[in-house]
Amino acid sequence: MENKKSRGRQKIPMKKIEKQDDLYASFSKRRLGLHKKASDLVFECDVDIGMIYFSPKGNPFSFFHPNVDAVVSRFQNFDMEFSESALLITAGNRDKVNELKNRLDELDIIEDIAIAKKKSYDDVIEARKRGWWESIEQLNAYEVTKFEAWMDTTNFNMQNRLNELKNGASSS
């Protein structure tokens, strides 16, 4: 069994962050994580949610879904029946969130494809820098067969062209 170089994921004790810059950075990261978790909760569980909090500098932040009025009204009177307009607004907001979430998923897929293409292009450029004779050893069986077929076709075309040139030179 190999010795591990790292201790893996460790539990960090909860304590107040003393350094001001570290405090701001940690708040910013955790705030984004909190918003993402709240958004996931809304999307996956179809819940109404509301949060209000203040940064270490005193700046207010909030997250409400479907909107502030609906969440506060529901909190104050949880068994209250919503009006038709409030239900329409809520449904519209949920549709908008779902639409944006789907668009974000599409953009994530597009980004993944673009990253894969870039890596592929970078690999091709690197192979060209090394020369085909160095990179041929990295090909799998299918790629070698494909490369061999390409070389056979190229050889055939070159032989035909050479014959055309010989025939054209001898006839002149």
Side-chain angles (χ1 to χ4, degrees), residues 148-162:
E148 182 182 22
W150 175 81
M151 288 184 65
D152 289 343
T153 303
T154 302
N155 185 35
F156 177 78
N157 291 338
M158 288 175 60
Q159 286 296 329
N160 284 343
R161 181 66 180 141
L162 185 60

Side-chain angles (χ1 to χ4, degrees), residues 30 52 70 131 166 169:
R30 289 179 181 268
I52 299 174
K166 282 182 183 177

Side-chain angles (χ1 to χ4, degrees), residues 54 64 72 83 137 140:
F54 297 88
F64 287 93
V72 171
S83 68
E137 294 175 1
N140 63 33

Side-chain angles (χ1 to χ4, degrees), residues 34-76:
L34 187 61
H35 276 232
K36 176 148 179 34
K37 289 291 185 185
S39 179
D40 291 346
L41 190 62
V42 167
F43 185 74
E44 293 172 5
C45 302
D46 199 28
V47 297
D48 295 343
I49 192 167
M51 300 184 299
I52 299 174
Y53 47 96
F54 297 88
S55 73
K57 288 185 174 181
N59 297 329
F61 292 92
S62 65
F63 180 94
F64 287 93
H65 182 80
N67 58 41
V68 176
D69 294 330
V71 172
V72 171
S73 296
R74 189 157 184 203
F75 182 76
Q76 290 173 340

